[in-house]
Amino acid sequence: MTTSSADSVFVTRSEGISAEGVRDQYADGKAAKVWEIFIGDKNSRTDNYKNFLVDLLREKGCKRILDVACGTGVDSIMLLEEGFEVVSVDASDKMLKFALKERWNRRKESAFDNWTIEEANWLTLYADIEDQIKSGFDAVICLGNSFAHLMDSSGDQREHKQAIKNFEKCLKPGGILLIDHRNYDNILETGSTPAKSIYYNTSHTADIKTSVLFYCGKPALVSMDYQIEGNKLASEFRLSYYPHELKRFTEILSEIFGKQAKHKLFGDFKEMTVVQNPAFYIHLIEKPKV
């Protein structure tokens, strides 16, 4: 972990005009382009991740899925090919252009012709896509540490609560939210971020330089400088995240969904009984039926 001034941590290298209320760190297109190359297509998703997600959705009887952090569309494409009906949204138009291109290229396939892709803001999500919600989605997914892009500008996490409330409103009774975040408890303790991704196999290597900004004695922001190399690709860019600590994040989910909501925690797509210090926590919470 490095010691940095506030300015050097707060200013991302991918600047641009964001959707109102949510800073789009991919707005200039640089990070979006590199991220697309680094992640690759849906075939690069690890079997552990793909099997975990697809099997869980099928086990819960889910058919209509809302991907609220679709980015370049990798997960949405995977789910479409597995027979799910998907609505995909993201705050970054630069990321969405890759998803839109794939939809156009595969428009002769029924699933892709019917694929809905929209730019949307988590803070106004329900109003943004109200015409798509109908009776509610079977599942809302927010994966890949995406939720941590939303900062806490107020100091009381009201933006986080508002976004999760919108996710909950988009679900039908009995529907599920799958949402993850890095193990920020461990990052804050050790000052380092694991470079190995549990989400995708890639021929590129990533070195992640981690900085933590504290405000009034509390961790307020984690800045990660990615240095990506491989297959003639060499690039650096910075992404900033809110460091969600496990206990508090679980409390917020319970507050929004209610005490009766069923909640289960996974670590790196495994049962918590078999993983001690995961890189990622994945929350599964079910909206009560009554």
Side-chain angles (χ1 to χ4, degrees), residues 249-262:
F249 194 83
T250 302
E251 290 173 348
I252 291 175
L253 289 176
S254 178
E255 177 183 332
I256 303 303
F257 279 78
K259 299 295 184 180
Q260 302 303 314
K262 297 178 182 178

Side-chain angles (χ1 to χ4, degrees), residues 217-238:
K218 295 181 179 180
L221 180 146
V222 171
S223 176
M224 297 182 188
D225 287 291
Y226 288 81
Q227 296 181 342
I228 297 176
E229 296 181 357
N231 291 353
K232 299 181 180 180
L233 169 70
S235 183
E236 297 182 10
F237 61 92
R238 173 178 295 169

Side-chain angles (χ1 to χ4, degrees), residues 37 196 255:
I37 296 171
K196 174 65 177 177
E255 177 183 332

Side-chain angles (χ1 to χ4, degrees), residues 5-267:
S5 68
D7 286 343
S8 69
V9 173
F10 269 116
V11 179
T12 64
R13 291 198 182 122
S14 296
E15 298 183 357
I17 299 173
S18 65
E20 183 179 353
V22 180
R23 182 178 178 83
D24 178 6
Q25 298 186 65
Y26 303 90
D28 70 352
K30 176 184 176 181
K33 183 176 181 180
V34 175
W35 207 245
E36 167 68 6
I37 296 171
F38 180 53
I39 293 175
D41 61 23
K42 52 88 184 175
N43 293 317
S44 68
R45 284 310 200 196
T46 65
D47 288 339
N48 283 344
Y49 171 57
K50 178 181 177 181
N51 293 339
F52 170 86
L53 180 57
V54 172
D55 290 350
L56 191 151
L57 292 174
R58 286 178 175 157
E59 176 189 327
K60 295 293 184 180
C62 300
K63 296 180 179 178
R64 294 188 70 236
I65 315 298
L66 174 62
D67 184 354
V68 298
C70 82
T72 59
V74 175
D75 290 340
S76 293
I77 292 167
M78 179 179 72
L79 293 176
L80 286 167
E81 292 181 343
E82 290 292 332
F84 296 97
E85 179 186 341
V86 183
V87 173
S88 305
V89 303
D90 201 278
S92 172
D93 61 338
K94 297 299 186 297
M95 297 290 271
L96 285 176
K97 75 176 185 178
F98 293 99
L100 291 164
K101 181 180 179 180
E102 185 71 8
R103 183 180 69 178
W104 173 256
N105 290 339
R106 300 180 65 173
R107 63 191 181 280
K108 293 183 179 179
E109 299 175 46
S110 177
F112 284 81
D113 187 46
N114 294 321
W115 182 17
T116 299
I117 303 173
E118 294 193 14
E119 186 176 351
N121 182 339
W122 291 338
L123 301 182
T124 56
L125 179 66
Y126 186 83
D128 289 348
I129 63 164
E130 191 169 2
D131 59 329
Q132 298 293 334
I133 295 172
K134 301 175 184 177
S135 60
F137 290 93
D138 298 315
V140 171
I141 63 172
C142 185
L143 300 171
N145 195 42
S146 299
F147 192 71
H149 280 303
L150 181 60
M151 297 301 170
D152 177 25
S153 62
S154 61
D156 59 8
Q157 293 193 264
R158 68 183 67 176
E159 293 94 345
H160 300 148
K161 294 177 184 179
Q162 179 61 40
I164 293 173
K165 283 180 183 178
N166 278 323
F167 298 166
E168 188 269 346
K169 286 176 66 177
C170 290
L171 287 168
K172 72 177 187 180
I176 61 171
L177 170 65
L178 266 175
I179 187 167
D180 75 351
H181 54 84
R182 283 188 180 271
N183 185 348
Y184 286 105
D185 296 77
N186 187 63
I187 291 172
L188 294 174
E189 181 180 348
T190 65
S192 62
T193 303
K196 174 65 177 177
S197 174
I198 63 171
Y199 279 92
Y200 41 80
N201 297 307
T202 179
S203 58
H204 304 92
T205 59
D207 178 50
I208 305 175
K209 181 181 177 183
T210 305
S211 304
V212 180
L213 177 71
F214 287 81
Y215 180 73
C216 295
K218 295 181 179 180
L221 180 146
V222 171
S223 176
M224 297 182 188
D225 287 291
Y226 288 81
Q227 296 181 342
I228 297 176
E229 296 181 357
N231 291 353
K232 299 181 180 180
L233 169 70
S235 183
E236 297 182 10
F237 61 92
R238 173 178 295 169
L239 295 176
S240 299
Y241 302 96
Y242 181 84
H244 291 287
E245 295 174 85
L246 179 60
K247 183 176 183 292
R248 181 58 185 143
F249 194 83
T250 302
E251 290 173 348
I252 291 175
L253 289 176
S254 178
E255 177 183 332
I256 303 303
F257 279 78
K259 299 295 184 180
Q260 302 303 314
K262 297 178 182 178
H263 175 264
K264 186 172 183 178
L265 184 68
F266 298 89

